């Protein structure tokens, strides 16, 4: 029997899967994705999927479930992150999954349990459909702390041909988003007694020169970049620390920088070029180290995956033009591994992380239908 997306969503929202601890921190959180991973795994086992759980870090599971029917058919994957953001500042009960006026309220309703429920409902129908592709469901941990779980996922078995990552796009087809990079700049100087600053080299002064250069020269250049239908990369220096004592010329200063680059401008190459340019422009070394990178997304509008979604959307008279968003998703990480990827799901990004998060139930049910149709259209085009 096919599953009801709304019933699934209710159960998913009632499971606390807050992610308030990044994998990078190495700390063990009080709440993990463990219970929701177990719940979804149980559902997929009932559908006959082969399920495997990999731990991206202690107690932080990634779920990979496969249901293959024919080696000649493509592998079509549904991916949704298992975690939600925290509940601080919420003005509603985060876990009661209350339904009112056609909306379901709660943490994760839009981001991204609405998508997950629609995917599971679609899978319950596809698994019994003779025209379906080979199917995969990936439930990834730690997306909200920077797509960390999916980045640590090891995929064995047949390669994935296409993946749809579930995020609240209001059931619009997203094929492009920015890349996200955090890096740290380090300026070194020479320590000296505060009474004789001329004997030292002030690392904070070097850093302020570097930051002024980033603001005046680099940021306007980034703002003019275009790619993947997006206009304007951005840069912001968001954390700074330096100096040891008030009577000592500082020998080190660090600044952390948040960069969002439109598609076609890979973060690592950007930062490499930036470091070289800084040395030439500023006349001293600025050392750079990575804190975090999430790849961007730019999927070819003529790819079979995009066309399959457009077939499903057009059939319902819905908008089907590929769109671009400025937030990062797990789709970027999977696309960087060579899989065609799009982002699609019910709910609005405006409700994601909100004090009163909700999703329109009609959108969840429509999403399940579109996901099912897109998988069938993809299989028909590829076999
Ligand atoms: Zn999300």
């Amino acid at each position: 029997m096919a599953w009801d997306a709304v019933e699934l969503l209710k159960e998913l929202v009632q499971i606390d899967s807050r992610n308030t601890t990044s994998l990078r921190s190495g700390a063990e959180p009080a709440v993990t994705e463990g219970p929701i991973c177990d719940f979804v795994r149980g559902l997929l086992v009932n559908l006959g999927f082969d399920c495997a759980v990999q731990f991206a870090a202690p107690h932080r599971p990634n779920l990979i479930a496969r249901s293959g029917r024919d080696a000649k058919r493509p592998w079509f994957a549904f991916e949704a992150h298992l975690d939600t953001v925290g509940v601080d500042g919420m003005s509603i009960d985060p876990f009661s999954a209350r339904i009112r006026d056609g909306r379901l309220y709660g943490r994760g309703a839009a981001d991204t349990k609405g998508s997950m429920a629609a995917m599971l409902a679609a899978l319950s129908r596809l698994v019994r459909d003779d025209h379906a592709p080979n199917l995969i469901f990936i439930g990834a941990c730690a997306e909200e702390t920077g797509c960390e779980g999916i980045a640590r996922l090891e995929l064995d078995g047949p390669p994935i041909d296409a993946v749809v990552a579930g995020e609240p796009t209001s059931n619009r087809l997203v094929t492009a988003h920015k890349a996200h990079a955090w890096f740290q700049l380090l300026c070194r100087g020479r320590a000296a007694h505060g009474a004789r600053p001329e004997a030292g080299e002030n690392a904070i002064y070097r850093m302020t020169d570097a930051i002024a250069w980033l603001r005046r020269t680099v940021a306007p250049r980034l703002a003019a970049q275009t790619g993947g239908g997006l206009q304007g990369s951005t840069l912001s220096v968001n954390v700074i620390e330096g100096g040891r004592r008030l009577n000592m010329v500082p020998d080190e200063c660090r600044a952390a920088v948040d960069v969002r680059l439109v598609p076609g401008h890979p973060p690592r190459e950007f930062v490499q070029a930036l470091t070289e340019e800084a040395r030439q422009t500023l006349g001293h070394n600025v050392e750079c180290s990575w804190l975090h990178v999430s790849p961007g997304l730019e999927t070819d509008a003529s790819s079979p995956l995009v066309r399959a979604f457009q077939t499903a959307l057009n059939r319902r008279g819905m908008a089907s033009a590929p769109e671009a968003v400025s937030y990062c998703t797990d789709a970027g990480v999977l696309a960087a591994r060579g899989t065609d990827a799009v982002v699609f799901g019910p709910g609005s990004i405006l409700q994601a992380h909100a004090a009163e998060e909700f999703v329109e139930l009609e959108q969840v049910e429509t999403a399940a239908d579109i996901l099912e149709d897109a998988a069938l259209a993809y299989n028909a085009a590829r076999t």
Side-chain angles (χ1 to χ4, degrees), residues 81 83 110-112 143-144 166-168 349 352-353:
H81 58 86
D83 59 326
D111 186 8
T112 216
E143 189 271 349
E144 296 290 1
E167 290 291 350
I349 195 66
H353 310 184

Side-chain angles (χ1 to χ4, degrees), residues 290-304:
W290 287 100
L291 300 173
H292 179 71
V293 186
S294 286
L297 178 69
E298 189 178 20
T299 301
D300 190 335
S302 65
S303 74

Side-chain angles (χ1 to χ4, degrees), residues 32-376:
T32 73
E33 298 89 345
I36 196 167
C37 179
D38 289 345
F39 175 77
V40 176
R41 182 177 166 278
L43 292 173
L44 291 169
V45 165
N46 278 337
L47 284 186
F49 277 68
D50 286 329
C51 294
V53 174
Q54 285 176 14
F55 285 90
H59 311 292
R60 308 298 296 271
N62 281 322
L63 172 66
I64 311 103
R66 285 184 187 257
S67 171
R69 62 171 70 228
D70 179 346
K72 290 195 283 297
R73 295 190 191 183
W75 284 90
F76 192 96
F78 296 88
E79 192 268 358
H81 58 86
L82 299 166
D83 59 326
T84 69
V85 291
V87 298
D88 288 351
M90 282 192 88
S91 54
I92 54 167
D93 183 336
F95 306 118
S96 68
R98 192 159 74 97
I99 294 176
R100 186 165 45 99
D101 301 331
R103 296 170 167 179
L104 187 144
Y105 288 80
R107 179 54 85 224
D111 186 8
T112 216
K113 292 177 176 177
S115 292
M116 200 188 304
M119 288 174 170
L120 293 168
L123 286 171
S124 74
R125 300 177 217 158
L126 286 165
V127 82
R128 292 176 179 81
D129 192 320
D130 287 340
H131 304 288
N134 297 314
L135 300 165
I136 303 184
F137 178 83
I138 300 170
C141 67
E143 189 271 349
E144 296 290 1
T145 39
C147 306
E148 295 180 292
I150 197 79
R152 298 187 187 190
L153 179 75
E154 284 174 33
L155 282 168
D156 37 24
I160 298 175
D161 295 283
V163 62
V164 48
E167 290 291 350
T169 67
S170 303
N171 285 348
R172 298 170 89 92
L173 179 61
V174 169
T175 59
H177 63 63
K178 288 183 178 179
H180 174 194
W182 287 337
F183 57 92
Q184 182 182 258
L185 298 178
L186 168 62
C187 288
R188 293 185 196 277
R190 192 170 61 250
H193 193 283
R196 292 188 62 238
E198 70 281 3
E201 197 65 66
N202 192 314
I204 291 178
Y205 292 171
R206 287 186 161 179
M207 185 60 84
T208 53
D209 288 348
I211 291 171
W213 170 71
L214 287 174
R215 289 185 64 193
R216 292 197 192 113
T217 307
V218 180
R221 213 160 63 203
L222 289 178
Q225 284 182 347
T226 56
L230 287 159
Q231 162 81 47
S233 301
T234 59
L235 172 154
S236 184
V237 178
N238 291 345
V239 179
I240 186 162
E241 63 182 15
R244 298 171 195 275
R245 287 203 305 272
L246 200 44
N247 65 351
M248 181 179 163
V249 174
D251 60 347
E252 276 188 12
C253 183
R254 294 165 204 275
V257 187
D258 181 326
V259 176
R260 314 286 170 129
L261 297 170
V262 297
H265 301 271
R268 288 185 191 277
E269 284 151 44
F270 163 73
V271 173
Q272 211 170 6
L274 189 77
T275 313
E276 177 56 27
E277 192 183 337
R279 196 180 56 77
Q280 288 174 7
T281 307
L282 302 168
H284 58 79
N285 267 349
V286 180
E287 294 166 41
C288 181
S289 58
W290 287 100
L291 300 173
H292 179 71
V293 186
S294 286
L297 178 69
E298 189 178 20
T299 301
D300 190 335
S302 65
S303 74
L305 175 62
V306 172
R307 287 207 305 269
F309 265 89
Q310 290 179 321
T311 301
L313 290 160
N314 289 338
R315 196 170 289 160
R316 288 171 179 77
M318 294 169 69
S320 67
E323 297 186 14
V325 294
S326 58
Y327 53 88
C328 266
T329 75
D330 285 349
V333 178
L334 291 163
R337 297 183 184 182
T339 303
D340 265 352
V342 297
V343 186
F344 175 87
S348 163
I349 195 66
L350 299 175
Q351 259 74 55
H353 310 184
E356 199 176 276
E357 182 171 353
F358 68 83
V359 66
E360 304 275 355
L361 293 175
E362 199 187 326
Q363 273 192 31
V364 177
E365 285 171 333
T366 304
D369 293 343
I370 292 167
L371 290 166
E372 180 187 6
D373 273 13
L376 293 173

